[in-house]
Amino acid sequence: VNCEHESAGAAVFDIGGTWFRSAVYTEADELIGVSRRPALSHHHDPDTDVVDLQEGLVHYLEEELERLQAAHGPIRQAAISMGAALNARDGFVFNSGPLWGAGSRPIDLRAKIQERTPGTNWQILNDVTAALLRHVCAEERRDHGRTALITISTGIACRVYDYGRRCVPTDPTHGLQGEIGHLDVRFRFRGTTVPLNCDCGRPNHLNAFTSGRGLEAVVQHLATVPNSGFATSSLGATGNEHPHVTDFLAAVLDGDAWSREVLSASCQPLARILVVMLTHDPEIDSIPLVGGVAAKLGEVLRESLLEQLEELGMYQITDRDPNYFRSRVHLGSTDDDSGLIGCGRFLRHSDATDS
Ligand SMILES: [Zn+2]
């Protein structure tokens, strides 16, 4: 990352399934004028057509840019952190479960907003990439190794930064990397395989078990299975068979044994994927955990994941270096600003995601 470039204040946006946020990112690497509104999303407005939600987003970006320019003067650069699968090379948005649900449609968002606001140059990046760039830029500069950031929130995903090439490498055609949430996994609880569908509609993706929404679905599923142990948990004691994920996370933090067991089971498929990643890419030396679930559970999540990783082990490595996983997996920044800061970093260091 070239950290010497200077540029004027930029408009930065964080578009997620719960909140839309905006701010100005200054030359001094600070956020000013941060504001937010509830997201225009399928989750909040299930009766609104996807096309109308997408038009609403373009309208929001246009109006918000106008508002920021009125308050802070002309803005020539803008970047959007999107909670969506997109082509990092051209900003074409493929899909967003959190924003547009199962009826999600592709949209050339960059072209649409660029056409309406020709005086500002727009860039679009994925929210996990934005969070990764924030973390990378906060570290000491180095020219070797890789950071693999894992976000566990509504969904789950990973992005890897390559310090040697100073980029987030992506598929040369499709512009994707690290969508581990849509890898096929097997989730087992007390010896029984649990089948659940992912938000994308396909069965048994990591998302379906290990994300915030996945954990909620797992708990609600187990609540209907005789002898799953749900009835013995503090959640079962309430008589509510549809506990919200926040109830589950609170039970985990309270030390409820059954809830801890569910968390361990859900960390196992993620641990398996990480072991494969580390086997293929031995230069990954930092694995920050971020996202709402990581923010809520903190060290409890880290320890649960480490327990699964250490159980699996790395061939010929962990016997010699029992600290191998522990020295890599850590908690990242879990405030709400990673999307906005990541956008600012991306604009100021525009070589950051060149391949
Ligand atoms: Zn999926």
Side-chain angles (χ1 to χ4, degrees), residues 174-306:
H174 307 286
L176 288 163
Q177 193 235 91
E179 296 291 350
I180 62 170
H182 301 282
L183 289 176
D184 188 88
V185 299
R186 178 179 292 196
F187 175 81
R188 291 169 72 81
F189 187 73
R190 297 192 174 177
T192 304
T193 300
V194 175
L196 286 173
N197 279 343
C198 181
D199 277 349
C200 77
R202 308 268 310 220
N204 303 324
H205 287 176
L206 181 66
N207 251 332
F209 309 104
T210 312
S211 67
R213 206 173 279 178
L215 287 164
E216 185 172 282
V218 165
V219 170
Q220 293 188 4
H221 172 83
L222 293 174
T224 68
V225 176
N227 305 319
S228 70
F230 175 78
T232 67
S233 71
S234 62
L235 293 170
T238 67
N240 177 9
E241 291 198 347
H242 301 279
H244 191 263
V245 65
T246 52
D247 303 325
F248 170 72
L249 298 178
V252 169
L253 287 175
D254 282 349
D256 177 61
W258 184 85
S259 299
R260 292 268 171 120
E261 196 181 335
V262 171
L263 179 67
S264 294
S266 81
C267 283
Q268 203 204 39
L270 173 59
R272 288 184 179 280
I273 289 167
L274 282 172
V275 164
V276 173
M277 284 176 62
L278 289 161
T279 302
H280 280 290
D281 190 347
E283 295 188 348
I284 292 173
D285 52 19
S286 172
I287 306 176
L289 306 176
V290 301
V293 174
K296 186 75 185 169
L297 296 183
E299 283 295 330
V300 174
L301 174 69
R302 177 173 175 263
E303 286 299 330
S304 188
L305 179 60
L306 283 170

Side-chain angles (χ1 to χ4, degrees), residues 49-331:
D49 190 81
V50 171
V51 172
D52 294 329
L53 290 173
Q54 292 179 335
E55 176 54 35
L57 169 59
V58 177
H59 188 69
Y60 162 80
L61 294 169
E62 188 181 2
E63 278 207 323
E64 201 58 14
L65 179 67
E66 250 174 54
R67 191 186 67 78
L68 291 171
Q69 296 202 101
H72 303 281
I75 292 173
R76 290 204 302 265
Q77 282 188 304
I80 310 167
S81 161
M82 284 290 293
L86 56 84
N87 185 331
R89 289 163 191 275
D90 59 14
F92 187 87
V93 179
F94 297 122
N95 177 290
S96 174
L99 283 167
W100 303 316
S104 184
R105 290 183 217 180
I107 175 175
D108 195 347
L109 182 63
R110 182 162 181 253
K112 281 191 190 294
I113 187 64
Q114 191 64 68
E115 186 185 309
R116 298 210 198 168
T117 58
T120 301
N121 183 34
W122 290 82
Q123 304 284 341
I124 300 183
L125 65 162
N126 172 269
D127 59 345
V128 189
T129 303
L132 175 58
L133 293 179
R134 177 200 185 169
H135 281 76
V136 164
C137 284
E139 288 175 9
E140 289 276 304
R141 187 170 171 161
R142 56 179 168 133
D143 57 11
H144 59 89
R146 287 189 254 283
T147 290
L149 176 136
I150 311 280
T151 181
I152 308 176
S153 54
T154 312
I156 185 164
C158 172
R159 284 294 179 284
V160 176
Y161 187 85
D162 182 341
Y163 293 89
R165 293 162 64 195
R166 295 183 195 173
C167 71
V168 178
T170 60
D171 178 291
T173 305
H174 307 286
L176 288 163
Q177 193 235 91
E179 296 291 350
I180 62 170
H182 301 282
L183 289 176
D184 188 88
V185 299
R186 178 179 292 196
F187 175 81
R188 291 169 72 81
F189 187 73
R190 297 192 174 177
T192 304
T193 300
V194 175
L196 286 173
N197 279 343
C198 181
D199 277 349
C200 77
R202 308 268 310 220
N204 303 324
H205 287 176
L206 181 66
N207 251 332
F209 309 104
T210 312
S211 67
R213 206 173 279 178
L215 287 164
E216 185 172 282
V218 165
V219 170
Q220 293 188 4
H221 172 83
L222 293 174
T224 68
V225 176
N227 305 319
S228 70
F230 175 78
T232 67
S233 71
S234 62
L235 293 170
T238 67
N240 177 9
E241 291 198 347
H242 301 279
H244 191 263
V245 65
T246 52
D247 303 325
F248 170 72
L249 298 178
V252 169
L253 287 175
D254 282 349
D256 177 61
W258 184 85
S259 299
R260 292 268 171 120
E261 196 181 335
V262 171
L263 179 67
S264 294
S266 81
C267 283
Q268 203 204 39
L270 173 59
R272 288 184 179 280
I273 289 167
L274 282 172
V275 164
V276 173
M277 284 176 62
L278 289 161
T279 302
H280 280 290
D281 190 347
E283 295 188 348
I284 292 173
D285 52 19
S286 172
I287 306 176
L289 306 176
V290 301
V293 174
K296 186 75 185 169
L297 296 183
E299 283 295 330
V300 174
L301 174 69
R302 177 173 175 263
E303 286 299 330
S304 188
L305 179 60
L306 283 170
E307 190 188 323
Q308 296 303 319
L309 287 165
E310 285 164 1
E311 173 78 24
L312 292 165
M314 288 286 290
Y315 176 68
Q316 295 295 344
I317 292 178
T318 38
D319 286 348
R320 295 184 168 82
D321 178 9
N323 217 31
Y324 176 85
F325 293 117
R326 201 162 281 275
S327 66
R328 284 168 173 74
V329 177
H330 58 97
L331 293 171

